[in-house]
Amino acid sequence: MNTIAIDGGTAVISRPDAPALRVERHDGPAAADRLPLWVGAYEDVYAHALDLSDHNDPPIAERLERHCARPGFELVAAFDEDRVAGLVYGYTLPEDSLWWEGLAPAPDPEFVREHPGRTVGVCELLVGVDWRRDGIGGSLLNAFLAQRPEERAAALVADGNAVVLGRYSGYGFTPVGTMEPYPGWRPHTMIVRPLRQG
């Protein structure tokens, strides 16, 4: 199993029988300064599906740039030398968030009511092809969530992606409904995981 460790002041993902991966944390401005790096990693992972609306409308560069400006934004990335092995990013949902809009079945209004520090939206979690089946996704997600101050985390998984949904279930997430995040996108399953008591 992979672990996040501190080695000489640097966070690393230790992997059995493989070189350790360097872990970096970036707030919004720092992540925005390296936008092409994250966009390149995203496009490599989804090269087979970039024609789908989910991946190009709006383009990932536009989405990520907008997300970098959100309060509470953080991106955690694993590097194999200078290559991005994987990344996860998200931000604190604001009180007027549209994150839950269109969720079906209709949820309890209290469940979707946001207040400061209630929910971190996990926007992307991806691992490059060369680093899969090594537990890196779980290690990155744990590193990201371990330092979040929010009460819960929420994410979306495209319908038909049972493997990813199963992995998130193993990370402690529970499905709460389905929705279409953007017009023209495939339906997605909304999943939620408690982080701490409110």
Side-chain angles (χ1 to χ4, degrees):
M1 180 175 173
N2 297 329
T3 58
I4 299 281
I6 303 297
D7 180 16
T10 301
V12 297
I13 297 177
S14 300
R15 301 183 295 160
D17 306 317
L21 301 176
R22 183 179 81 258
V23 177
E24 295 183 3
R25 292 180 176 275
H26 298 274
D27 63 10
D33 284 346
R34 303 180 79 184
L35 195 63
L37 191 61
W38 321 127
V39 170
Y42 181 97
E43 290 178 345
D44 284 347
V45 166
Y46 293 110
H48 65 286
L50 289 176
D51 60 319
L52 294 174
S53 295
D54 303 21
H55 301 295
N56 66 42
D57 185 21
I60 183 58
E62 181 182 317
R63 274 187 281 152
L64 185 49
E65 186 172 33
R66 188 171 64 245
H67 292 161
C68 284
R70 301 285 176 101
F73 177 94
E74 184 179 43
L75 182 148
V76 179
F79 284 86
D80 188 345
E81 296 185 355
D82 62 347
R83 299 173 67 200
V84 178
L87 64 84
V88 57
Y89 84 82
Y91 60 87
T92 307
L93 299 187
E95 291 181 67
D96 61 351
S97 176
L98 300 178
W99 187 275
W100 308 100
E101 192 170 281
L103 185 64
D108 183 313
E110 181 56 30
F111 179 78
V112 297
R113 185 180 66 81
E114 290 298 330
H115 54 74
R118 185 172 195 196
T119 309
V120 57
V122 181
C123 300
E124 292 293 342
L125 171 62
L126 57 88
V127 177
V129 174
D130 293 342
W131 299 276
R132 290 185 185 162
R133 304 197 195 309
D134 204 10
I136 292 165
S139 295
L140 281 170
L141 184 63
N142 287 337
F144 176 76
L145 295 178
Q147 296 188 16
R148 298 303 306 191
E150 294 87 359
E151 299 168 18
R152 64 185 181 181
L156 288 162
V157 177
D159 278 8
N161 207 336
V163 172
V164 172
L165 202 55
R167 287 195 184 122
Y168 270 106
S169 176
Y171 303 149
F173 284 81
T174 302
V176 296
T178 59
M179 67 185 305
E180 185 180 286
Y182 284 91
W185 282 30
R186 293 173 290 175
H188 282 56
T189 298
M190 178 72 75
I191 54 177
V192 175
R193 168 185 159 176
L195 299 179
R196 56 196 51 80
Q197 294 300 315

